Structure formats: C-alpha cells, structure tokens
Amino acid sequence: GVGAKTISCVLMFCLKRFDFPVDTHVWKIALALNWVPKAATRDQTYEHLNAKVPDEIKYALHVLLVKHGKVYKNDVKTLRETLRHCEAGGEELPGEDAPPSEPTAVKQEVKPEAVD
C-alpha cells in the first residue's frame, strides 16, 4: 500500500504543498537530536515534525536532513559541530568535516505554495 512517507512526498514534491516527509534519515537524525521522544516511531515523528517545523523551511530542511543522512550516514556529530560553528559566527562548514564537492547550503528549487 501507500504509506505516510509516500503521500507526504507526493504532497511536497509533486503538489507543492507544505508537508514534511520523514524517511529513515530524517527519523534517525530527529531521534539523535532529541527532536522527538526516543521511542517515537517514524509515523509519530512525521506527525510531530510536520506540526512543529515551520512551513517555509519544510522543503529545505527535509532535503538537508536526507542529504546529510546519506553523506554522513546519519551521524549527528558533524551536524552538531556545524551548528556550533555557525552559532559562533562562522559562515562556512569546517573544511575537514565537509566533503570537498558538497555544497554548504541546500538550494531550494521547488517552493511549495500555501493552500487555502
């Protein structure tokens, strides 16, 4: 059958709706960052994050987390170091932590529109 992630992907990528798909990368990173309770299922994580993540960043954050999960195998150590670096006023990712050909920002190509 069609699950929550597939429906959410169709809503966000195809229909340009504000939705926040939760794949295994987003789920594992959300758990590691304590964005959801440790026992949260993927569906519970979807419900929680879809309600909490602001509409205007859902697309970019989803793409960023999936990309990070694939490149760093869901390791949040690098993500935490990057966040600390940015909070300290740094503008770029630490050189040795970032793959040489990876961009430091995610370009949002499809901007979902609000639905009345």
Side-chain angles (χ1 to χ4, degrees):
V2 177
K5 183 184 88 170
T6 301
I7 293 168
S8 185
C9 285
V10 169
L11 286 170
M12 186 175 74
F13 292 112
C14 299
L15 300 176
K16 300 179 184 177
R17 304 276 178 98
F18 292 117
D19 214 69
F20 195 74
V22 174
D23 74 337
T24 192
H25 299 295
V26 173
W27 180 40
K28 289 178 181 180
I29 291 170
L31 287 169
L33 292 175
N34 296 318
W35 289 356
V36 294
K38 288 290 182 198
T41 65
R42 211 165 73 176
D43 287 341
Q44 290 168 333
T45 301
Y46 164 77
E47 292 294 333
H48 180 79
L49 293 180
N50 202 42
K52 296 292 185 182
V53 174
D55 286 345
E56 60 273 7
I57 67 166
K58 283 181 177 177
Y59 180 92
L61 182 60
H62 169 79
V63 172
L64 177 69
L65 292 177
V66 170
K67 185 168 193 160
H68 179 85
K70 289 179 179 180
V71 172
Y72 296 103
K73 297 178 181 39
N74 301 320
D75 178 17
V76 296
K77 180 182 175 215
T78 303
L79 189 57
R80 285 187 182 121
E81 291 171 1
T82 301
L83 291 173
R84 279 195 291 273
H85 179 77
C86 292
E87 289 170 352
E91 295 180 9
E92 297 178 12
L93 291 173
E96 59 193 49
D97 291 334
S101 63
E102 294 296 320
T104 57
V106 174
K107 182 178 178 182
Q108 186 170 349
E109 296 173 5
V110 177
K111 186 171 182 162
E113 299 173 8
V115 176
D116 296 326

